[in-house]
Amino acid sequence: MATGSDPRASQTLATGAGKAQGGEHIKPFTPEKAKEVMMSLQQPAVFCNMVLDWPSRHWTAEHLSDVLRDKQICFRMGLQSTDSVPQFETSCSYVDATLEEFLTWNCDQASNSGPFKDYDHSKFWAYADYKYFVNLFEDKTDVFQEVIWSDFGFPGRNGQESTLWIGSLGAHTPCHLDSYGCNLVFQVQGRKRWHLFPPEDTPFLYPTRIPYEESSVFSKVNVVNPDLNRFPQFQKAQRHVVTLSPGQVLFVPRHWWHYVESIDPVTVSINSWIELEDDHLARVEEAITRMLVCALKTAENPHNPRAWLNPTEAEEISHEVNCHYLNGAVCAFLEHYRTSKATEVQALRANREHRKKHSHTERDQTRSLNENKHRAAEPKAADPLGPDLVLVTVMSEEPSSEREGMFEGGVLYCSARDTSPCAQAQSSSVWCKLLRACCTPRAPAHRHPACKSSVTKNHHYHLQPVTEWLLRTRNHLSIQNSYSTLCICRLGTCQMKGYFKKACDKTE
């Protein structure tokens, strides 16, 4: 992004009418086509006219207040400031209130009582974020059917796999990337402005794992008011900006950075994180990161985990729990690896048999094509995507020569290639896949259940890749104490060895 460009400028998309003459709504994409398009996209895009018949289209904050009534919801309270430092969730305060109390406060009706009495509406924003339907509507599960992600090619997916977001003007999520999957976001009420950056811009976003959240990697940069003296490389980032309006659905591809802000008095959004094939390995990588971060930061500050642990991390962070989580992730990955290999072999056999049966037909088709090669070409087909899918464009372009690997804070990031410790070894090895250290993990998703096997403690062999990654990543994890760095070699990795040794012995 050029320094002088206005970060508030964005694409604003109009939602057209997708109706037949009889008034019946016609979706521009079939579920199969919508999924095919998403899985092939390399940049964010907005779907229009896909949710006009969804019952959840009418889920305004007022409607939800009537549905949820006295349900207590946790709101994150932040300052309406222009500071260059991001407002991470660890620095915000929190209020438990009903939606009715939120709407009363949001109308700027001053009150000396109630949960929002200490927060001046002109100085604060409120955000009920990451509210899972299964927790919010636990006694009203029929509402799950009012969100129909099956229209995008995911059969059976509805509100049960969705999250609700309700905010006031100025409410926002700090810039981050999601560790798992891709993201579909349905804007219900009000408008939100999305600032997005591609995965290759990771070096320019100054990533950090503190505050730690399993599913997210945060940026140290406040992307709407960047401190370019502290973060000069941010000027090279390719900012994509779009304003999402009610009735539109934004697709966010895997590992795209995003900062999201509410630009209307009340906003309501629904999203769902879609699992991807790469998530199986990503959970192993993230489990390793979780173990290392928790061990190092706990050793550094054992009495105040909330200083570095994101409030969304409600689970216990003890070393034993982390070991079981890692074990479960490894077992799940290996099970998927075996299953996918078996499926691949079956597919190859079926393909071979199919080719034998149809070899004569293919020769006939080739002969027919040669005979008709001088015929006039058919008219070009219309754009298969049409006007109801709008790609989110970059605000400005920077010379490609500037987009190279670089050092920041003692950690090497690379935009075009993987330079993790194991990347130089044989990439096909399960051993390397399991031990590949991950500096950029992915959005809350269902965790794999812990495996029943116990932690193995008595294996003695070299685990150099993880140790090297750890030593090179002290600044990335905001580690202040060199002694803490050494602790993990005895405290964490020695116990991890047994997992990997047993797993790889069974597989290779």
Side-chain angles (χ1 to χ4, degrees):
M1 183 195 74
T3 308
S5 62
D6 179 8
R8 299 283 171 174
S10 67
Q11 289 176 266
T12 302
L13 311 174
T15 302
K19 292 187 178 181
Q21 291 182 350
E24 181 183 354
H25 175 65
I26 299 176
K27 295 184 186 296
F29 300 98
T30 64
E32 296 76 18
K33 184 62 178 177
K35 183 176 182 180
E36 178 189 339
V37 168
M38 285 188 293
M39 295 300 104
S40 64
L41 284 174
Q42 300 298 314
Q43 69 187 90
V46 175
F47 287 87
C48 302
N49 298 314
M50 285 290 289
V51 297
L52 296 179
D53 58 346
W54 286 21
S56 53
R57 177 77 188 273
H58 307 290
W59 283 15
T60 63
E62 291 79 6
H63 170 77
L64 290 170
S65 176
D66 291 338
V67 172
L68 294 171
R69 297 186 178 276
D70 297 328
K71 179 80 172 181
Q72 291 286 304
I73 301 172
C74 183
F75 287 85
R76 177 161 59 95
M77 307 301 296
L79 285 168
Q80 301 271 16
S81 71
T82 56
D83 197 346
S84 61
V85 178
Q87 287 194 58
F88 291 124
E89 293 165 59
T90 49
S91 63
C92 293
S93 52
Y94 293 83
V95 165
D96 289 326
T98 65
L99 271 179
E100 183 179 2
E101 290 170 328
F102 161 74
L103 291 170
T104 300
W105 171 81
N106 200 44
C107 291
D108 204 11
Q109 298 179 9
S111 174
N112 294 324
S113 61
F116 294 98
K117 61 183 178 60
D118 297 327
Y119 299 93
D120 186 333
H121 181 263
S122 64
K123 297 178 181 178
F124 287 88
W125 48 259
Y127 206 6
D129 50 1
Y130 295 103
K131 306 307 176 191
Y132 287 92
F133 277 43
V134 291
N135 299 326
L136 203 58
F137 301 104
E138 52 191 349
D139 55 345
K140 300 178 177 64
T141 56
D142 54 311
V143 305
F144 293 168
Q145 308 306 319
E146 298 187 20
V147 180
I148 315 170
W149 295 118
S150 56
D151 283 351
F152 288 86
F154 304 100
R157 196 176 194 90
N158 54 35
Q160 189 168 6
E161 297 85 16
S162 302
T163 311
L164 187 68
W165 309 69
I166 304 171
S168 63
L169 179 66
H172 64 268
T173 305
C175 187
H176 67 286
L177 66 81
D178 294 327
S179 304
Y180 308 126
C182 57
N183 197 359
L184 277 173
V185 186
F186 167 34
Q187 191 62 29
V188 180
Q189 179 181 6
R191 295 169 300 151
K192 280 186 173 178
R193 182 174 290 121
W194 285 71
H195 303 249
L196 302 115
F197 303 86
E200 61 266 25
D201 278 357
T202 294
F204 313 133
L205 273 295
Y206 298 81
T208 178
R209 293 314 306 262
I210 307 300
Y212 174 74
E213 181 179 83
E214 179 210 343
S215 56
S216 304
V217 181
F218 291 100
S219 169
K220 297 178 185 178
V221 184
N222 181 349
V223 299
V224 295
N225 187 29
D227 184 345
L228 297 179
N229 290 324
R230 283 190 66 196
F231 309 113
Q233 297 295 335
F234 178 68
Q235 297 177 83
K236 299 178 183 179
Q238 300 179 97
R239 186 193 299 263
H240 297 61
V241 183
V242 64
T243 298
L244 199 64
S245 299
Q248 297 173 340
V249 175
L250 174 66
F251 168 70
V252 183
R254 185 173 188 262
H255 284 184
W256 271 71
W257 293 85
H258 47 285
Y259 171 101
V260 190
E261 56 181 338
S262 298
I263 59 173
D264 278 332
V266 181
T267 61
V268 177
S269 308
I270 300 170
N271 89 295
S272 186
W273 287 284
I274 309 298
E275 301 82 5
L276 297 174
E277 181 74 16
D278 290 338
D279 288 352
H280 297 282
L281 177 58
R283 293 184 196 285
V284 178
E285 297 171 338
E286 186 67 354
I288 295 172
T289 303
R290 175 190 176 95
M291 176 175 283
L292 295 177
V293 173
C294 292
L296 287 166
K297 298 302 286 186
T298 300
E300 184 180 283
N301 188 357
H303 304 297
N304 188 21
R306 293 301 160 188
W308 55 269
L309 191 65
N310 215 44
T312 53
E313 286 295 304
E315 291 190 7
E316 187 182 347
I317 56 169
S318 69
H319 188 66
E320 182 180 1
V321 168
N322 290 340
C323 282
H324 281 291
Y325 178 47
L326 173 60
N327 195 32
V330 171
C331 291
F333 169 76
L334 290 174
E335 179 60 29
H336 172 75
Y337 178 82
R338 295 187 192 100
T339 304
S340 61
K341 280 295 180 184
T343 304
E344 184 180 336
V345 170
Q346 291 176 357
L348 287 172
R349 288 175 180 170
N351 186 49
R352 217 166 19 237
E353 294 174 0
H354 177 80
R355 291 179 65 181
K356 287 179 180 178
K357 291 180 180 178
H358 296 276
S359 59
H360 295 294
T361 305
E362 290 174 359
R363 282 197 293 270
D364 293 341
Q365 289 175 343
T366 302
R367 191 180 301 115
S368 177
L369 288 173
N370 289 334
E371 291 173 355
N372 297 319
K373 63 181 179 181
H374 297 298
R375 291 184 181 178
E378 294 289 336
K380 284 189 176 181
D383 181 359
L385 301 183
D388 294 294
L389 181 72
V390 183
L391 298 180
V392 180
T393 57
V394 66
M395 291 183 61
S396 63
E397 297 290 343
E398 294 292 338
S400 58
S401 61
E402 292 185 301
R403 312 188 60 73
E404 300 292 339
M406 57 167 283
F407 278 93
E408 196 287 303
V411 181
L412 174 64
Y413 300 102
C414 195
S415 60
R417 60 190 183 278
D418 183 2
T419 56
S420 58
C422 282
Q424 299 168 8
Q426 296 177 353
S427 59
S428 60
S429 166
V430 175
W431 168 264
C432 290
K433 287 181 179 178
L434 291 179
L435 293 182
R436 197 181 77 203
C438 177
C439 292
T440 55
R442 287 145 258 248
H446 300 296
R447 297 184 177 182
H448 295 290
C451 184
K452 293 182 180 179
S453 60
S454 60
V455 178
T456 304
K457 300 181 180 179
N458 298 320
H459 290 276
H460 300 285
Y461 58 89
H462 204 34
L463 197 65
Q464 190 67 17
V466 172
T467 306
E468 286 181 355
W469 174 79
L470 169 70
L471 294 173
R472 291 192 300 109
T473 321
R474 285 182 63 244
N475 291 337
H476 185 64
L477 300 177
S478 301
I479 304 304
Q480 306 299 325
N481 189 334
S482 59
Y483 173 74
S484 300
T485 305
L486 299 177
C487 286
I488 190 62
C489 299
R490 299 180 178 85
L491 179 66
T493 57
C494 289
Q495 293 188 346
M496 289 157 55
K497 293 174 184 177
Y499 289 173
F500 294 121
K501 180 63 175 173
K502 289 173 64 179
C504 295
D505 285 348
K506 292 180 180 178
T507 305
E508 296 194 288

